[in-house]
DNA sequence: TTCAAGGTCAACCCCTGGGTTGACGTGCGC
DNA sequence: GCGCACGTCAACCCAGGGGTTGACCTTGAA
C-alpha cells in the first residue's frame, strides 16, 4: 500500500485528490495539509511514501517544504503553473516529479506509483524544457590534472589564467617570446587543451587559480 | 494521422511495432529501416512525424541518424540499454524522447503521440537520472560585471568558457560562424576583454560558470 | 508607423597564437 | 662519464581569432 499526503491550500482540490487516490486499491491518503509547514509536519508524523505538493501555499511554499522533507519521502509537485523557475527550483529542492494540474487522473495515479518506486516523472512540457536546458550546455571537455606540469610551466599557466598575452608573459618573466611559446605548446599537450582558452579553464578547474569573489 | 517510421535492425521487432502502431486509428507506419542510413533516407522521403529509433544499428547508429534528421521530424529513441551515454548523446543529438524496450505497449503509443505533439517524454528511470544530472550543477548565483550583456551573448560566453571554438559554438547554436564572431566582438567590448582567454576569466569571475569541483 | 535593440549574416583585412623542428646550456642522478 | 629533465631560444608556417563595415529581419516600445 502506497501512503499519500495531499498538500494544497484549496480544500476542494484536496478533496478530489483524496477521492481519486482512495479509489485505487493500492493507494491511500493518510493526511491532508493546507500549508507548507503543515505538509512538513504531516510528512514527519504520518510518514507517507509520496506527498502531492502544490507550489503556491500560505506560510511556506511547496518548494521550501519539499526541501525539508526530501529525505523522509518522495515529493510529486503538482501545480497549475509550469513556470521555468518553479520546475528548476522544485527539482533542485529534491522533487521526484513535476506535473501540471491538467494532467488526466489516470496519469496522476500512474505518476504516484512511479515516484513511489523511486523513479521520476515529469509532464511532457516540462520534460521538453528540461532537455532543452540540459542540451543548452554541451558535454564539457573534462580537464586533465596538473601532473607532470613543471614549475615554470605552472607559472606560465597562471599568467595565462590572468589574461596576459604571450608578449606580456615574456616581459613579465624576462624571457623571450619563443620561450613562452614553447612552454605553452608543452602545456597544451600535458593538460590536453586545444588553445589558451581551455588552458584558462584548466587553471580554474584544477584550482591553480580561483575566483576572487 | 500521425506518420511513423520504425528503425531497428531486428525484423521481428519492427514487425511487432508495426502491428502495434497500425492497430491505432490515429497512427500509421509509413516505413521501416534496418540501419541508420536507411532511417535517414526514409525520413527524408517518407516525411514521417515520428521515427522510432533504435540505438544499435549497422552502418550508422541511431544517435548519428537522429542528428541528421532532427530538423525534419521528431525522434523517439527506443532501446534495450539505458546507458547514461546513450541517453545524453541521444538528447544532445536532438531526440524528443527516450524509452526502454520494456515499456508497456500502451505507454509507447502514448509516447508517440506526445512526441508528435512537440513535447518530450522519457522513461522514468531516465528521467530520474536526467534530474540528477541537472541538479548536480548548482544554480548559478551570478550577477556582476555582466550588465548590458544580452541573453544570446551570455549564452555564447558560456560556451566560450566551456572551451569551444567559434566553429563549435556556431554548430551548437545552429548559426553561422559570422554570427558567433559578431557576438564575441560585442562581448569583448562589453566585458572589456582583449581575447577569448580573458572572456573565460570574466565568465568564471562573474559566476556565469563555476568550477565543477 | 517609426524607431531602437537584438539577432543574424557576409566580405575583408591583419595579427596573434599555436605547431614544428632543431638547437644549446644547466643541473641532476646513475 | 653519460643520459635526462628542464629551461632557454630561433626560424618557419598557417589557421583561427579578432576588427571593421555594412546589411537584413523581427520584436517591442514610443
Amino acid at each position: 500500500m502506497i501512503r499519500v499526503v495531499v498538500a494544497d491550500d484549496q480544500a476542494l482540490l484536496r478533496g478530489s485528490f483524496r477521492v481519486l487516490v482512495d479509489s485505487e486499491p493500492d493507494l491511500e491518503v493518510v493526511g491532508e495539509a493546507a500549508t507548507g509547514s503543515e505538509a512538513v509536519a504531516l510528512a514527519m508524523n504520518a510518514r507517507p511514501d509520496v506527498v502531492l505538493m502544490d507550489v503556491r501555499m500560505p506560510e511556506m511554499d511547496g518548494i521550501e517544504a519539499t526541501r525539508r522533507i526530501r529525505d523522509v519521502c518522495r515529493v510529486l509537485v503538482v501545480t497549475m503553473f509550469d513556470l521555468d523557475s518553479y520546475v528548476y527550483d522544485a527539482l533542485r529542492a529534491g522533487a521526484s516529479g513535476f506535473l501540471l494540474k491538467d494532467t488526466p487522473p489516470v496519469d496522476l495515479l500512474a505518476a504516484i506509483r512511479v515516484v513511489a518506486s523511486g523513479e521520476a516523472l515529469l509532464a511532457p512540457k516540462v520534460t521538453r524544457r528540461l532537455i532543452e536546458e540540459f542540451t543548452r550546455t554541451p558535454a564539457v571537455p573534462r580537464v586533465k590534472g596538473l601532473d607532470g606540469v613543471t614549475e615554470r610551466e605552472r607559472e606560465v599557466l597562471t599568467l595565462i589564467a590572468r589574461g596576459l598575452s604571450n608578449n606580456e608573459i615574456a616581459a613579465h618573466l624576462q624571457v623571450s617570446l619563443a620561450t613562452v611559446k614553447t612552454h605553452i605548446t608543452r602545456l597544451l599537450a600535458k593538460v590536453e587543451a586545444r588553445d589558451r582558452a581551455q588552458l584558462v579553464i584548466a587553471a580554474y578547474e584544477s584550482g591553480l587559480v580561483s575566483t576572487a569573489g
Side-chain angles (χ1 to χ4, degrees), chain A:
Chain A
M1 185 70 84
I2 299 176
R3 299 160 58 81
V4 178
V5 157
V6 180
D8 196 301
D9 60 339
Q10 298 178 59
L12 186 59
L13 195 140
R14 289 201 305 277
S16 32
F17 272 9
R18 176 186 278 272
V19 171
L20 176 66
V21 171
D22 281 340
S23 72
E24 295 292 298
D26 60 331
L27 307 178
E28 66 170 334
V29 172
V30 297
E32 295 182 17
T35 71
S37 34
E38 273 181 40
V40 172
L42 199 51
M44 298 303 181
N45 297 328
R47 293 291 161 158
D49 298 295
V50 177
V51 175
L52 296 185
M53 184 81 76
D54 189 20
V55 175
R56 294 194 185 172
M57 283 190 291
E59 287 186 43
M60 180 193 303
D61 67 28
I63 307 288
E64 182 56 32
T66 298
R67 193 170 290 117
R68 302 201 183 184
I69 62 176
R70 58 180 304 167
D71 293 326
V72 306
C73 64
R74 323 276 185 188
V75 176
L76 178 53
V77 174
V78 185
T79 176
M80 205 105 75
F81 315 92
D82 64 338
L83 303 176
D84 277 8
S85 64
Y86 278 10
V87 175
Y88 300 152
D89 290 351
L91 294 183
R92 290 192 202 283
S96 297
F98 195 102
L99 293 183
L100 305 180
K101 281 186 179 167
D102 63 2
T103 303
V106 59
D107 289 349
L108 177 65
L109 295 171
I112 292 175
R113 297 191 181 95
V114 166
V115 169
S117 77
E119 304 297 354
L121 189 142
L122 305 173
K125 223 185 266 188
V126 173
T127 301
R128 181 172 56 71
R129 282 191 315 214
L130 185 65
I131 291 176
E132 277 171 16
E133 178 66 25
F134 172 72
T135 56
R136 207 173 53 75
T137 55
V140 3
R142 195 183 80 284
V143 166
K144 252 303 202 51
L146 261 42
D147 319 310
V149 174
T150 70
E151 196 49 44
R152 194 60 158 172
E153 285 161 359
R154 206 186 308 274
E155 208 171 344
V156 172
L157 180 52
T158 304
L159 296 178
I160 289 176
R162 295 295 179 213
L164 301 212
S165 71
N166 290 352
N167 271 315
E168 288 167 346
I169 294 174
H172 190 268
L173 295 181
Q174 301 268 54
V175 298
S176 83
L177 176 61
T179 301
V180 174
K181 293 180 72 170
T182 302
H183 286 313
I184 292 179
T185 296
R186 290 179 183 156
L187 271 171
L188 291 170
K190 289 181 181 175
V191 181
E192 290 181 10
R194 185 175 48 191
D195 50 40
R196 70 201 293 106
Q198 291 190 354
L199 283 181
V200 175
I201 297 173
Y204 275 98
E205 296 297 336
S206 69
L208 214 209
V209 301
S210 53
T211 58

